[in-house]
Amino acid sequence: MEKKQLFESRGQGQIFRFWEGLNEKERANLISQADEIDLDELDDLVSTLVKASGDKESVNFSALKPAPYLPIPEDLDTNEDWQEAKKLGEDALRKGKVAAFTVAGGQGTRLGYDGPKGTFPVTPVKKKTLFQVFAEKIQAARLRYECELPWFIMTSDVNHEATVAFFEANDFFGLAPDSITFFRQGRMPAVDYDGKIILESKSSIAMSPDGHGGALRALERSGSFKAMEDAGIEVLSYFQVDNPLVQAIDPYFIGFHLKSGSTMSSKMLPKAYEKEKLGHFCVLDGVTQIVEYSDMPDDLCALRDPDGKLSFRAGSIAIHVISLDFARSLVAAGSSVSLPFHRADKKVPFVNEEGNTQKPDTANGVKFEMFVFDAIPFSKNPLVIETTRLNDFSPVKNAEGIDSPESCRADQLKLFREWFDAAGINIPQGFDGSIEVSPLYALDKESFVSAWKKNSVSIDFSSDVYIG
Ligand code: UTP
């Protein structure tokens, strides 16, 4: 068999060691997985990331500088620069140049929830799921800017069917089904510490999603880039599936991206404390990049400016605006640049010599992942812009504690209380219920205040409050 010979000739014949005992379906499965593997790429990764000391090129930390960022002004409404950017962003939206893009292919292991993370209920009163929150934000933006605003959602092999079925079961949350494109991200095989591809069962290879950076390849391969081009899309509003507070469509952000001639822009938050687990926006030899929190030396994390602020305070929250042409250029055939893979040591279930799958207690192999923020160094005029926590960031990552359903719920309550205050709604002392505002009622404080002025209703604070 040709495939078997090929893998054998590359030292990976072990994936076929149970071949003789497999039935036709199992053989077909194994072959189709083997077809997904680019052996040249894998050889390269094994020699650079598995057999060498690791993927961490030693950064010259003494030359590392904090990346400059555009600070958020005290009063957006009167700041000419920000108002001009907002107009530009709104104009791009009205002209149909923007698509929303959600990466939802992760495995959500930390949350420990059974099902695609986007189907996790997250809002305080109605328990809307993450996908519903984004759908409503997108619908609200479509109505506000009278535009198509297509939505692209990247899934993985593991959660694709469940994700699509969830949207179908919920009538796509009122969005036209053909305005949402679901596509699967790529997969990579896991290898052991000798670089051998791990077999998970007799007939399947241990494959896993290739990281959110795999989005660019997957957009190309799925034909989504082409569809975007045909629809006149010029920029993607990129956000992650786990963050319901994100301004999925932010005209200021889009406007600044366009105004500054950037090809990939990013939002930042000043880190709340030295060791907050956010990547750091840095500049090294004139190139803007993110240094992961796990790579940043303690002394740099702790370094302070004369005014007492952390020097490396610009934390990445994985919200980007990316120009379509730029994203495509990174994955075009013959492109001189590409996103690097990173190594992650994991416990990878494997098949033992008796043919049974075994779960290891400690890491036994390496998975390969790409990160979307690795595109930033290739960007022209990469822009980093400040936002505020409540208006953009409260992810659901962990089952409890920091970045958990509980902390996210508390942040939503804080945000909606702020909106109530701004609209002059008096929350009775001692009210300990929950408050929730539908994105279809208001997307932000400003629109909440003006919607409330037009049609306020009397609120019954004897139970939870939902404004929709
Ligand atoms: P995380 O880095 O939080 O990973 O993903 P995760 O897989 O969701 O969760 P853990 O680490 O297993 O607990 C950040 C975002 O990137 C997406 C996720 O769906 C989430 O929106 N992502 C991550 C992908 O789309 N594909 C991947 O391969 C990895």
Side-chain angles (χ1 to χ4, degrees):
M1 203 248 306
E2 219 176 285
K3 194 62 59 189
K4 190 163 173 260
Q5 280 165 1
L6 173 68
F7 275 70
E8 273 164 2
S9 72
R10 307 293 288 263
Q12 298 288 7
Q14 76 285 351
I15 66 165
F16 292 108
R17 69 184 190 276
F18 295 102
W19 184 257
E20 295 312 324
L22 301 184
N23 63 33
E24 217 161 285
K25 202 169 152 219
E26 290 168 330
R27 287 182 171 188
N29 180 57
L30 191 55
I31 292 292
S32 92
Q33 287 190 322
D35 278 340
E36 282 180 51
I37 299 172
D38 176 339
L39 286 169
D40 290 339
E41 181 177 74
L42 188 67
D43 274 353
D44 213 38
L45 294 175
V46 166
S47 60
T48 53
L49 299 183
V50 182
K51 298 203 168 152
S53 54
D55 73 333
K56 311 291 182 210
E57 263 181 46
S58 57
V59 173
N60 178 7
F61 286 110
S62 61
L64 201 66
K65 305 247 174 342
Y69 62 88
L70 189 70
I72 196 160
E74 291 270 305
D75 192 354
L76 286 187
D77 301 338
T78 56
N79 184 298
E80 275 179 28
D81 215 20
W82 282 66
Q83 289 310 313
E84 191 195 322
K86 184 183 181 194
K87 281 208 186 78
L88 272 176
E90 290 177 338
D91 189 51
L93 282 156
R94 286 205 185 88
K95 290 187 174 143
K97 294 181 180 177
V98 182
F101 177 33
T102 310
V103 285
Q107 293 177 304
T109 23
R110 283 170 288 171
L111 183 61
Y113 169 69
D114 193 19
K117 214 190 228 187
T119 66
F120 187 78
V122 78
T123 66
V125 177
K126 294 287 180 185
K127 315 286 177 224
K128 290 178 190 172
T129 61
L130 286 154
F131 278 137
Q132 181 171 358
V133 172
F134 302 136
E136 292 183 357
K137 289 187 176 193
I138 287 167
Q139 174 71 336
R142 286 180 183 177
L143 296 170
R144 185 188 276 190
Y145 303 111
E146 297 174 319
C147 62
E148 303 259 321
L149 192 59
W151 186 15
F152 291 80
I153 300 175
M154 183 172 81
T155 61
S156 72
D157 244 58
V158 181
N159 68 21
H160 184 83
E161 267 134 39
T163 301
V164 174
F166 183 73
F167 274 79
E168 282 168 354
N170 288 285
D171 283 332
F172 295 84
F173 304 104
L175 301 175
D178 64 0
S179 69
I180 311 178
T181 303
F182 302 90
F183 64 96
R184 288 178 162 88
Q185 71 178 104
R187 301 194 294 178
M188 290 296 288
V191 299
D192 65 20
Y193 292 120
D194 293 321
K196 301 285 181 201
I197 298 170
I198 299 177
L199 209 50
E200 185 180 68
S201 75
K202 287 196 246 181
S203 61
S204 67
I205 295 167
M207 303 282 279
S208 56
D210 57 2
H212 42 66
L216 303 184
R217 286 177 169 195
L219 280 161
E220 181 64 40
R221 206 185 34 238
S222 63
S224 301
F225 274 152
K226 175 77 173 66
M228 289 176 184
E229 181 190 350
D230 293 346
I233 300 301
E234 291 179 13
V235 294
L236 315 186
S237 182
Y238 169 104
F239 54 91
Q240 301 191 329
V241 76
D242 53 20
N243 178 20
L245 286 197
V246 66
Q247 297 178 65
I249 299 298
D250 179 353
Y252 289 101
F253 188 31
I254 295 165
F256 271 119
H257 173 83
L258 297 170
K259 190 165 134 86
S260 62
S262 163
T263 51
M264 178 155 176
S265 301
S266 313
K267 282 195 178 172
M268 67 68 86
L269 277 178
K271 283 195 307 168
Y273 46 95
E274 283 172 23
K275 299 296 282 177
E276 188 175 14
K277 290 183 173 175
L278 298 176
H280 301 78
F281 286 103
C282 300
V283 176
L284 186 64
D285 299 331
V287 179
T288 302
Q289 51 201 273
I290 288 182
V291 176
E292 284 181 82
Y293 62 83
S294 48
D295 294 343
M296 197 73 170
D298 287 354
D299 56 333
L300 289 190
C301 286
L303 198 67
R304 290 192 182 261
D305 289 348
D307 62 4
K309 289 182 182 163
L310 292 172
S311 303
F312 288 91
R313 61 181 166 277
S316 171
I317 51 172
I319 303 173
H320 305 282
V321 171
I322 310 172
S323 294
L324 179 62
D325 287 349
F326 168 69
R328 282 191 103 169
S329 73
L330 294 176
V331 286
S335 164
S336 58
V337 293
S338 63
L339 299 192
F341 275 96
H342 296 256
R343 158 191 181 144
D345 289 60
K346 301 268 174 169
K347 296 177 204 165
V348 185
F350 63 97
V351 65
N352 61 20
E353 284 319 308
E354 289 75 51
N356 301 317
T357 301
Q358 231 175 288
K359 283 192 179 164
D361 298 327
T362 52
N364 61 327
V366 172
K367 290 186 177 181
F368 302 107
E369 282 193 346
M370 286 180 278
F371 300 150
V372 84
F373 58 73
D374 278 328
I376 296 173
F378 302 115
S379 167
K380 212 172 87 188
N381 303 330
L383 174 75
V384 181
I385 180 172
E386 186 179 8
T387 185
T388 58
R389 231 164 250 271
L390 276 191
N391 282 312
D392 256 319
F393 190 62
S394 187
V396 177
K397 299 260 185 214
N398 305 308
E400 45 196 39
I402 294 172
D403 297 343
S404 65
E406 201 40 53
S407 63
C408 180
R409 181 188 137 85
D411 285 340
Q412 291 175 71
L413 292 177
K414 214 159 137 192
L415 177 75
F416 297 136
R417 272 187 176 255
E418 258 190 32
W419 292 6
F420 272 38
D421 282 349
I425 302 170
N426 201 3
I427 301 173
Q429 283 236 328
F431 170 72
D432 64 356
S434 294
I435 298 177
E436 180 178 331
V437 179
S438 165
L440 292 167
Y441 185 87
L443 276 173
D444 45 40
K445 181 155 70 181
E446 201 184 340
S447 56
F448 182 76
V449 172
S450 73
W452 190 255
K453 264 194 203 138
K454 274 187 229 141
N455 52 7
S456 56
V457 288
S458 78
I459 300 178
D460 173 10
F461 281 101
S462 64
S463 58
D464 288 347
V465 176
Y466 177 71
I467 310 281

